């Protein structure tokens, strides 16, 4: 087995394990009170009422934990993205984290919100609905471009932009707005991975110049 195939097997296995763990953990912790049944307060609604009925508690946890799975898979993707010699490693984890993100959005939209578009776009639980939809499409397109190994200046530019957008979405939703200390810690780990490896890549480039 070649090294490139090996990393895809590893990334795929990580995806399956983390997604499975997300659903198992949701079943285990759904009665723990770890997640609030009350949506985040806003200026327009400083005292929001609980919006999670008993039959939707499980899907609330499934939605949260699948998002956490996508975040964990993004960490190696951001470690490898700035190094051309690690293209296959970056692509493998960039692709599987996208799959986890799609699973998270599906669970959120059709299990937790039960397909209610109005609720999705107005609930304070969803802080960036339309940016999230843009990222859903753009991220998927970039994965396909990456698999095709297309190379052009515009591809590099759009790839940097979509990585910045995904980075802001996940770090903002976890490190900044995370509901628990654990997800905040994971968010800062992603932040460190993205910024730290970018600095290392820049310093390596300066040495070669």
């Amino acid at each position: 087995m070649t090294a490139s195939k090996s990393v895809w097997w590893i990334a795929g296995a990580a995806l399956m394990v983390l997604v499975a763990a997300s659903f198992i953990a949701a079943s285990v912790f759904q009665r723990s009170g770890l997640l609030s049944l009350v949506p985040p307060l806003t200026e327009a609604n400083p005292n929001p009422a609980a919006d999670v009925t008993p039959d939707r508690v499980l899907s609330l946890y499934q939605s949260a934990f699948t998002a956490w799975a996508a975040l964990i898979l993004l960490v190696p993707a951001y470690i490898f993205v700035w190094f051309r010699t690690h293209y296959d490693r970056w692509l493998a984890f960039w692709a599987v984290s996208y799959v986890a993100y799609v699973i998270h959005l599906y669970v959120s939209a059709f299990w937790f919100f039960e397909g209610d578009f109005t609720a999705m776009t107005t609930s304070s639980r969803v802080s960036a609905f339309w940016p999230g939809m843009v990222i859903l499409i753009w991220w998927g397109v970039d994965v396909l471009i990456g698999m095709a190994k297309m190379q052009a200046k515009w591809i590099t530019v759009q790839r940097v932009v979509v990585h910045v957008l995904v980075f802001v979405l996940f770090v903002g939703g976890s490190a900044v707005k995370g509901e628990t200390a654990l997800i905040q810690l994971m968010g800062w780990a992603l932040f460190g991975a993205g910024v730290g490896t970018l600095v290392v890549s820049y310093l390596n480039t300066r040495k070669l110049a």
Side-chain angles (χ1 to χ4, degrees):
M1 184 181 296
T2 64
S4 61
K5 287 184 179 180
S6 295
V7 74
W8 278 97
W9 277 104
I10 293 170
L15 169 66
M16 290 187 288
V17 168
L18 285 170
V19 170
S22 298
F23 287 102
I24 294 171
S27 297
V28 172
F29 288 100
Q30 62 176 313
R31 295 182 180 86
S32 67
L34 179 67
L35 301 177
S36 175
L37 303 185
V38 178
L41 59 86
T42 62
E43 291 184 2
N45 188 10
N47 296 299
D51 65 343
V52 183
T53 55
D55 61 316
R56 290 197 299 152
V57 173
L58 178 59
S59 59
L60 171 68
Y61 280 79
Q62 291 169 334
S63 174
F65 290 170
T66 50
W68 295 11
L71 188 154
I72 293 171
L73 291 166
L74 273 174
V75 172
Y78 277 91
I79 289 175
F80 297 129
V81 66
W82 308 115
F83 303 95
R84 292 184 179 182
T85 54
H86 295 310
Y87 183 90
D88 289 326
R89 295 176 182 178
W90 156 76
L91 180 58
F93 282 98
W94 184 238
V96 297
S97 57
Y98 175 71
V99 173
Y101 180 62
V102 171
I103 293 171
H104 159 67
L105 290 183
Y106 181 87
V107 170
S108 300
F110 297 104
W111 295 5
F112 180 72
F113 286 108
E114 300 177 337
D116 188 338
F117 182 79
T118 301
M120 290 181 233
T121 55
T122 58
S123 173
S124 60
R125 290 187 181 275
V126 183
S127 58
F129 178 82
W130 291 113
M133 293 302 99
V134 171
I135 287 173
L136 171 66
I137 297 171
W138 195 345
W139 189 351
V141 169
D142 188 58
V143 168
L144 294 177
I145 292 174
M147 289 181 172
K149 295 188 176 180
M150 298 169 57
Q151 295 183 359
K153 186 175 181 179
W154 70 267
I155 291 175
T156 301
V157 172
Q158 69 81 31
R159 181 158 295 152
V160 169
V161 174
V162 72
H163 274 75
V164 170
L165 293 177
V166 171
F167 187 76
V168 170
L169 178 71
F170 275 84
V171 172
S174 55
V176 178
K177 296 183 179 180
E179 188 173 341
T180 68
L182 178 59
I183 186 57
Q184 290 174 356
L185 179 62
M186 289 192 289
W188 285 115
L190 177 61
F191 178 84
V195 175
T197 52
L198 176 60
V199 171
V200 171
S201 177
Y202 173 76
L203 293 176
N204 287 341
T205 302
R206 289 290 301 272
K207 288 180 181 179
L208 295 173

